[in-house]
Protein backbone atom coordinates (compact mmCIF):
# COMPACT_ATOMS: atom_id res chain seq x y z
CA UNK A 1 0.00 0.00 0.00
CA UNK A 2 1.34 3.41 -0.99
CA UNK A 3 1.66 5.97 1.80
CA UNK A 4 2.10 9.68 1.42
CA UNK A 5 4.18 11.23 4.20
CA UNK A 6 6.86 13.88 4.75
CA UNK A 7 10.15 13.28 6.54
CA UNK A 8 10.55 17.00 7.18
CA UNK A 9 10.22 20.45 5.65
CA UNK A 10 12.82 22.71 4.10
CA UNK A 11 11.63 25.81 5.92
CA UNK A 12 11.91 24.08 9.29
CA UNK A 13 15.36 22.57 8.89
CA UNK A 14 15.41 19.73 6.37
CA UNK A 15 17.91 21.85 4.43
CA UNK A 16 18.52 25.60 4.09
CA UNK A 17 15.67 27.39 2.35
CA UNK A 18 17.27 29.25 -0.58
CA UNK A 19 15.38 32.53 -0.44
CA UNK A 20 18.00 34.17 -2.70
CA UNK A 21 17.98 31.44 -5.38
CA UNK A 22 17.11 32.17 -8.98
CA UNK A 23 13.61 30.64 -8.82
CA UNK A 24 12.85 32.73 -5.73
CA UNK A 25 14.13 35.85 -7.45
CA UNK A 26 11.71 35.12 -10.26
CA UNK A 27 8.97 34.60 -7.69
CA UNK A 28 9.62 38.06 -6.26
CA UNK A 29 9.41 39.52 -9.77
CA UNK A 30 6.19 37.65 -10.45
CA UNK A 31 4.55 39.02 -7.31
CA UNK A 32 5.38 42.58 -8.35
CA UNK A 33 4.95 42.43 -12.12
CA UNK A 34 2.51 39.59 -12.69
CA UNK A 35 -0.41 40.98 -10.70
CA UNK A 36 -2.35 42.49 -13.58
CA UNK A 37 -5.99 41.84 -14.41
CA UNK A 38 -7.08 41.17 -18.02
CA UNK A 39 -10.34 42.94 -17.21
CA UNK A 40 -8.48 46.16 -16.43
CA UNK A 41 -7.40 46.40 -20.09
CA UNK A 42 -9.35 49.08 -21.96
CA UNK A 43 -10.55 47.68 -25.30
CA UNK A 44 -12.81 50.63 -26.20
CA UNK A 45 -10.54 51.93 -28.99
CA UNK A 46 -9.82 48.40 -30.23
CA UNK A 47 -13.55 47.82 -30.61
CA UNK A 48 -13.82 50.95 -32.77
CA UNK A 49 -10.76 50.34 -34.95
CA UNK A 50 -11.17 46.59 -35.57
CA UNK A 51 -13.92 46.98 -38.25
CA UNK A 52 -11.83 49.66 -39.98
CA UNK A 53 -8.93 47.26 -40.68
CA UNK A 54 -8.90 45.68 -44.13
CA UNK A 55 -9.82 42.03 -44.63
CA UNK A 56 -6.20 40.84 -44.93
CA UNK A 57 -5.24 42.51 -41.65
CA UNK A 58 -8.20 41.06 -39.80
CA UNK A 59 -7.59 37.57 -41.18
CA UNK A 60 -3.91 37.75 -40.26
CA UNK A 61 -4.74 38.94 -36.76
CA UNK A 62 -7.31 36.19 -36.24
CA UNK A 63 -4.78 33.57 -37.32
CA UNK A 64 -2.14 34.83 -34.90
CA UNK A 65 -4.53 35.42 -32.01
CA UNK A 66 -6.20 32.03 -32.40
CA UNK A 67 -2.75 30.46 -32.16
CA UNK A 68 -2.02 32.45 -29.00
CA UNK A 69 -5.44 31.64 -27.52
CA UNK A 70 -5.19 27.88 -27.93
CA UNK A 71 -1.50 27.92 -27.04
CA UNK A 72 -2.13 29.66 -23.74
CA UNK A 73 -4.90 27.20 -22.91
CA UNK A 74 -2.66 24.27 -23.83
CA UNK A 75 0.15 25.30 -21.52
CA UNK A 76 -2.32 26.06 -18.73
CA UNK A 77 -3.70 22.54 -19.08
CA UNK A 78 -0.32 20.86 -19.46
CA UNK A 79 1.98 22.64 -16.97
CA UNK A 80 0.86 20.91 -13.77
CA UNK A 81 2.96 17.72 -14.23
CA UNK A 82 6.15 19.82 -14.25
CA UNK A 83 5.12 21.47 -10.99
CA UNK A 84 4.47 18.04 -9.52
CA UNK A 85 7.84 16.77 -10.74
CA UNK A 86 9.88 19.48 -9.03
CA UNK A 87 7.69 19.19 -5.92
CA UNK A 88 8.48 15.48 -5.65
CA UNK A 89 12.18 16.39 -5.73
CA UNK A 90 11.68 18.70 -2.76
CA UNK A 91 12.51 21.81 -4.77
CA UNK A 92 10.15 24.09 -2.87
CA UNK A 93 11.74 27.25 -4.32
CA UNK A 94 11.05 26.07 -7.88
CA UNK A 95 7.54 24.98 -6.99
CA UNK A 96 6.76 28.36 -5.41
CA UNK A 97 7.79 30.15 -8.60
CA UNK A 98 5.92 27.70 -10.82
CA UNK A 99 2.67 28.41 -8.98
CA UNK A 100 2.90 32.00 -10.26
CA UNK A 101 3.82 30.63 -13.68
CA UNK A 102 0.56 28.65 -13.90
CA UNK A 103 -1.48 31.59 -12.58
CA UNK A 104 -0.04 33.84 -15.28
CA UNK A 105 -0.77 31.39 -18.07
CA UNK A 106 -4.38 31.18 -16.90
CA UNK A 107 -4.65 34.97 -17.09
CA UNK A 108 -3.29 34.90 -20.63
CA UNK A 109 -6.11 32.52 -21.59
CA UNK A 110 -8.59 34.99 -20.14
CA UNK A 111 -7.00 37.97 -21.90
CA UNK A 112 -7.20 36.50 -25.41
CA UNK A 113 -10.65 35.06 -24.78
CA UNK A 114 -11.89 38.51 -23.78
CA UNK A 115 -10.37 40.03 -26.94
CA UNK A 116 -12.17 37.51 -29.16
CA UNK A 117 -15.48 38.13 -27.40
CA UNK A 118 -15.39 41.92 -27.15
CA UNK A 119 -13.22 43.08 -30.05
CA UNK A 120 -13.17 40.50 -32.87
CA UNK A 121 -16.64 39.20 -32.01
CA UNK A 122 -16.24 36.01 -33.98
CA UNK A 123 -17.72 32.57 -33.48
CA UNK A 124 -15.07 31.07 -31.21
CA UNK A 125 -16.27 27.56 -31.95
CA UNK A 126 -14.70 27.90 -35.41
CA UNK A 127 -11.26 29.15 -34.30
CA UNK A 128 -9.81 25.66 -34.20
CA UNK A 129 -10.22 25.54 -37.98
CA UNK A 130 -7.39 28.10 -38.18
CA UNK A 131 -4.93 25.67 -36.60
CA UNK A 132 -2.62 24.24 -39.26
CA UNK A 133 -1.24 20.67 -39.28
CA UNK A 134 2.13 21.70 -37.84
CA UNK A 135 0.46 23.79 -35.14
CA UNK A 136 -1.61 20.76 -34.19
CA UNK A 137 1.51 18.60 -34.16
CA UNK A 138 3.06 20.80 -31.48
CA UNK A 139 0.10 21.89 -29.35
CA UNK A 140 -2.26 18.93 -29.78
CA UNK A 141 0.41 16.21 -29.60
CA UNK A 142 3.98 17.07 -28.65
CA UNK A 143 3.31 19.49 -25.79
CA UNK A 144 0.71 17.41 -23.88
CA UNK A 145 2.72 14.23 -24.43
CA UNK A 146 5.99 15.73 -23.21
CA UNK A 147 4.44 17.27 -20.10
CA UNK A 148 2.01 14.43 -19.43
CA UNK A 149 4.82 11.87 -19.45
CA UNK A 150 6.09 13.47 -16.24
CA UNK A 151 3.08 12.05 -14.38
CA UNK A 152 4.41 8.57 -15.16
CA UNK A 153 8.16 9.15 -15.17
CA UNK A 154 9.42 12.53 -13.85
CA UNK A 155 13.04 11.66 -14.62
CA UNK A 156 15.62 14.33 -15.54
CA UNK A 157 15.42 13.11 -19.13
CA UNK A 158 11.70 13.68 -19.32
CA UNK A 159 11.89 17.02 -17.50
CA UNK A 160 14.49 18.06 -20.07
CA UNK A 161 12.29 17.05 -23.00
CA UNK A 162 9.25 18.76 -21.47
CA UNK A 163 11.03 22.04 -20.80
CA UNK A 164 12.63 22.12 -24.25
CA UNK A 165 9.21 21.58 -25.81
CA UNK A 166 7.55 24.25 -23.74
CA UNK A 167 10.13 26.89 -22.85
CA UNK A 168 12.50 26.65 -25.82
CA UNK A 169 10.12 25.94 -28.71
CA UNK A 170 6.60 27.03 -27.71
CA UNK A 171 7.65 30.13 -25.79
CA UNK A 172 11.18 30.78 -27.05
CA UNK A 173 10.52 30.38 -30.77
CA UNK A 174 6.79 30.39 -31.58
CA UNK A 175 5.53 32.92 -29.04
CA UNK A 176 8.50 35.22 -29.62
CA UNK A 177 7.87 35.10 -33.37
CA UNK A 178 4.21 35.89 -32.72
CA UNK A 179 5.23 38.93 -30.69
CA UNK A 180 7.59 39.95 -33.48
CA UNK A 181 4.71 39.82 -35.97
CA UNK A 182 2.53 41.85 -33.63
CA UNK A 183 5.25 44.51 -33.28
CA UNK A 184 5.77 44.58 -37.02
CA UNK A 185 2.10 45.05 -37.80
CA UNK A 186 1.86 47.79 -35.16
CA UNK A 187 4.74 49.66 -36.77
CA UNK A 188 3.15 49.39 -40.20
CA UNK A 189 -0.43 50.23 -39.22
CA UNK A 190 0.21 52.85 -36.54
CA UNK A 191 0.06 52.91 -32.76
CA UNK A 192 -3.55 54.11 -32.69
CA UNK A 193 -4.65 50.69 -33.92
CA UNK A 194 -5.48 48.37 -31.00
CA UNK A 195 -4.01 50.05 -27.90
CA UNK A 196 -5.76 47.55 -25.59
CA UNK A 197 -4.21 44.58 -27.33
CA UNK A 198 -0.85 46.38 -27.31
CA UNK A 199 -1.05 46.93 -23.54
CA UNK A 200 -2.02 43.32 -22.90
CA UNK A 201 0.72 41.92 -25.14
CA UNK A 202 3.29 44.03 -23.27
CA UNK A 203 2.17 42.47 -19.99
CA UNK A 204 2.17 38.97 -21.47
CA UNK A 205 5.70 39.42 -22.75
CA UNK A 206 6.86 40.50 -19.33
CA UNK A 207 5.39 37.32 -17.86
CA UNK A 208 6.82 35.15 -20.63
CA UNK A 209 10.32 36.56 -20.15
CA UNK A 210 10.28 35.06 -16.65
CA UNK A 211 8.94 31.77 -17.99
CA UNK A 212 11.70 31.48 -20.58
CA UNK A 213 14.32 32.50 -18.01
CA UNK A 214 13.17 29.70 -15.72
CA UNK A 215 13.17 27.20 -18.59
CA UNK A 216 16.74 28.09 -19.52
CA UNK A 217 17.74 27.74 -15.87
CA UNK A 218 15.97 24.38 -15.47
CA UNK A 219 17.41 22.89 -18.66
CA UNK A 220 20.88 24.20 -17.82
CA UNK A 221 20.72 22.68 -14.35
CA UNK A 222 19.57 19.31 -15.70
CA UNK A 223 22.35 19.25 -18.30
CA UNK A 224 24.98 20.25 -15.73
CA UNK A 225 23.84 17.47 -13.42
CA UNK A 226 23.36 14.95 -16.25
CA UNK A 227 25.82 15.77 -19.07
CA UNK A 228 25.04 12.43 -20.71
CA UNK A 229 21.60 13.86 -21.61
CA UNK A 230 23.00 16.35 -24.12
CA UNK A 231 22.15 14.04 -27.01
CA UNK A 232 18.54 14.02 -25.77
CA UNK A 233 18.46 17.82 -25.73
CA UNK A 234 19.97 18.04 -29.18
CA UNK A 235 17.58 15.43 -30.57
CA UNK A 236 14.54 17.17 -29.07
CA UNK A 237 15.48 20.58 -30.42
CA UNK A 238 16.05 19.17 -33.89
CA UNK A 239 12.89 17.06 -33.73
CA UNK A 240 10.70 20.07 -32.99
CA UNK A 241 12.37 22.40 -35.48
CA UNK A 242 10.43 20.92 -38.41
CA UNK A 243 6.89 21.47 -37.06
CA UNK A 244 7.85 24.82 -35.50
CA UNK A 245 9.17 26.34 -38.71
CA UNK A 246 6.53 24.46 -40.65
CA UNK A 247 3.80 26.23 -38.70
CA UNK A 248 5.34 29.63 -39.41
CA UNK A 249 5.66 28.82 -43.13
CA UNK A 250 2.07 27.52 -43.23
CA UNK A 251 0.82 30.74 -41.65
CA UNK A 252 2.66 32.84 -44.23
CA UNK A 253 1.63 30.68 -47.18
CA UNK A 254 -2.05 30.62 -46.21
CA UNK A 255 -2.14 34.41 -45.97
CA UNK A 256 -0.34 34.87 -49.28
CA UNK A 257 -2.61 32.36 -51.02
CA UNK A 258 -5.76 34.07 -49.75
CA UNK A 259 -4.78 37.74 -50.05
CA UNK A 260 -1.56 37.88 -52.07
CA UNK A 261 0.26 39.64 -49.23
CA UNK A 262 0.83 39.56 -45.49
CA UNK A 263 -0.92 42.10 -43.26
CA UNK A 264 0.48 45.57 -43.96
CA UNK A 265 2.83 44.14 -46.60
CA UNK A 266 5.21 42.46 -44.12
CA UNK A 267 8.22 40.60 -45.54
CA UNK A 268 7.91 36.78 -45.29
CA UNK A 269 11.67 36.22 -45.34
CA UNK A 270 12.19 38.66 -42.46
CA UNK A 271 9.71 36.68 -40.35
CA UNK A 272 11.38 33.34 -41.08
CA UNK A 273 14.82 34.78 -40.33
CA UNK A 274 13.60 36.10 -37.00
CA UNK A 275 12.20 32.69 -36.04
CA UNK A 276 15.42 30.96 -37.05
CA UNK A 277 17.40 33.46 -35.01
CA UNK A 278 15.31 32.70 -31.92
CA UNK A 279 15.84 28.96 -32.42
CA UNK A 280 19.60 29.33 -32.91
CA UNK A 281 19.89 31.58 -29.85
CA UNK A 282 18.10 29.04 -27.63
CA UNK A 283 20.17 26.17 -28.97
CA UNK A 284 23.42 28.07 -28.39
CA UNK A 285 22.44 28.77 -24.78
CA UNK A 286 21.86 25.07 -24.14
CA UNK A 287 25.25 24.19 -25.61
CA UNK A 288 26.93 26.50 -23.12
CA UNK A 289 25.22 24.75 -20.22
CA UNK A 290 27.18 21.56 -20.93
CA UNK A 291 30.38 23.32 -19.91
CA UNK A 292 29.08 25.04 -16.77
CA UNK A 293 28.90 24.02 -13.14
CA UNK A 294 25.74 24.38 -11.07
CA UNK A 295 27.22 27.40 -9.32
CA UNK A 296 28.07 29.02 -12.65
CA UNK A 297 24.56 28.38 -13.96
CA UNK A 298 23.04 30.00 -10.87
CA UNK A 299 25.38 32.98 -11.10
CA UNK A 300 24.77 33.51 -14.82
CA UNK A 301 21.02 33.23 -14.31
CA UNK A 302 21.06 35.81 -11.53
CA UNK A 303 23.36 38.17 -13.44
CA UNK A 304 21.77 38.03 -16.87
CA UNK A 305 18.42 36.29 -17.25
CA UNK A 306 16.80 38.11 -14.34
CA UNK A 307 17.41 41.45 -16.08
CA UNK A 308 14.96 40.43 -18.77
CA UNK A 309 12.39 39.19 -16.30
Amino acid sequence: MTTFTHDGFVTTGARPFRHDSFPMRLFQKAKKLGMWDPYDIDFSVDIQTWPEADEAERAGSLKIMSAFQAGEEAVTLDLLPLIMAVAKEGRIEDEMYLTSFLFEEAKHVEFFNRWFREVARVDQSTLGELHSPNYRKIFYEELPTALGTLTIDPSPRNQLRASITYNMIVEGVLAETGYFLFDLFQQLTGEDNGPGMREGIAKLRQDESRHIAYGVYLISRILAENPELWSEAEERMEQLAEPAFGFIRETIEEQLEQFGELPSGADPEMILQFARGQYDKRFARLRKAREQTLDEIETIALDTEIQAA
Side-chain angles (χ1 to χ4, degrees), residues 24-80:
M24 287 303 294
R25 288 280 293 276
L26 288 178
F27 186 55
Q28 304 311 320
K29 289 279 187 179
K31 289 189 295 181
K32 294 177 181 178
L33 302 175
M35 297 297 114
W36 59 278
D37 186 347
Y39 278 89
D40 287 338
I41 303 292
D42 182 2
F43 278 139
S44 59
V45 176
D46 302 60
I47 292 170
Q48 293 175 0
T49 59
W50 174 255
E52 298 172 0
D54 63 38
E55 186 179 3
E57 290 174 349
R58 289 198 303 272
S61 294
L62 288 175
K63 177 76 172 181
I64 294 169
M65 297 310 167
S66 70
F68 270 120
Q69 175 71 96
E72 299 291 357
E73 181 179 346
V75 296
T76 302
L77 288 169
D78 298 332
L79 182 61
L80 191 56

Side-chain angles (χ1 to χ4, degrees), residues 50-273:
W50 174 255
E52 298 172 0
D54 63 38
E55 186 179 3
E57 290 174 349
R58 289 198 303 272
S61 294
L62 288 175
K63 177 76 172 181
I64 294 169
M65 297 310 167
S66 70
F68 270 120
Q69 175 71 96
E72 299 291 357
E73 181 179 346
V75 296
T76 302
L77 288 169
D78 298 332
L79 182 61
L80 191 56
L82 179 60
I83 301 177
M84 295 171 64
V86 300
K88 288 178 180 178
E89 294 178 348
R91 300 181 187 274
I92 183 64
E93 299 90 347
D94 292 61
E95 184 185 3
M96 288 174 68
Y97 168 63
L98 285 171
T99 60
S100 72
F101 197 135
L102 182 55
F103 171 64
E104 288 163 357
E105 296 291 9
K107 285 196 304 178
H108 300 172
V109 174
E110 186 177 53
F111 171 75
F112 285 111
N113 184 258
R114 185 178 167 227
W115 182 84
F116 275 110
R117 285 187 289 108
E118 298 181 20
V119 179
R121 299 185 182 184
V122 296
D123 180 2
Q124 294 180 68
S125 68
T126 66
L127 293 178
E129 298 172 5
L130 300 176
H131 299 162
S132 68
N134 280 301
Y135 182 91
R136 289 175 177 270
K137 175 67 175 175
I138 294 174
F139 288 94
Y140 288 57
E141 299 176 24
E142 295 292 349
L143 182 67
T145 298
L147 273 296
T149 297
L150 296 178
T151 63
I152 304 169
D153 177 12
S155 63
R157 172 187 179 273
N158 288 334
Q159 289 185 45
L160 177 72
R161 290 174 61 85
S163 189
I164 285 175
T165 305
Y166 182 17
N167 302 112
M168 297 296 96
I169 299 299
V170 169
E171 291 187 314
V173 176
L174 297 182
E176 288 295 309
T177 302
Y179 297 141
F180 173 75
L181 283 171
F182 178 79
D183 287 343
L184 182 62
F185 297 164
Q186 286 290 306
Q187 292 170 13
L188 295 171
T189 60
E191 294 187 355
D192 292 335
N193 183 30
M197 175 57 77
R198 188 167 63 252
E199 179 184 353
I201 289 290
K203 293 183 182 298
L204 262 74
R205 294 174 84 164
Q206 199 169 49
D207 292 344
E208 299 288 4
S209 69
R210 293 189 296 275
H211 302 175
I212 294 173
Y214 177 78
V216 170
Y217 167 80
L218 174 62
I219 294 168
S220 298
R221 175 176 60 73
I222 292 172
L223 288 175
E225 293 174 334
N226 308 274
E228 72 280 4
L229 291 179
W230 168 248
S231 60
E232 291 282 349
E234 191 172 37
E235 178 186 357
R236 190 60 176 162
M237 287 291 291
E238 293 173 350
Q239 181 183 35
L240 293 174
E242 182 176 350
F245 294 122
F247 163 59
I248 296 168
R249 285 193 294 270
E250 284 169 345
T251 301
I252 293 172
E253 289 168 0
E254 288 171 7
Q255 185 79 14
L256 290 175
E257 182 178 352
Q258 185 173 4
F259 297 103
E261 64 177 1
L262 294 179
S264 307
D267 179 8
E269 188 58 34
M270 180 192 302
I271 297 167
L272 288 168
Q273 286 180 357

Side-chain angles (χ1 to χ4, degrees), residues 295-307:
D295 287 342
E296 289 172 336
I297 287 168
E298 183 85 12
T299 299
I300 292 171
L302 289 169
D303 288 347
T304 59
E305 301 290 351
I306 196 66
Q307 296 174 7

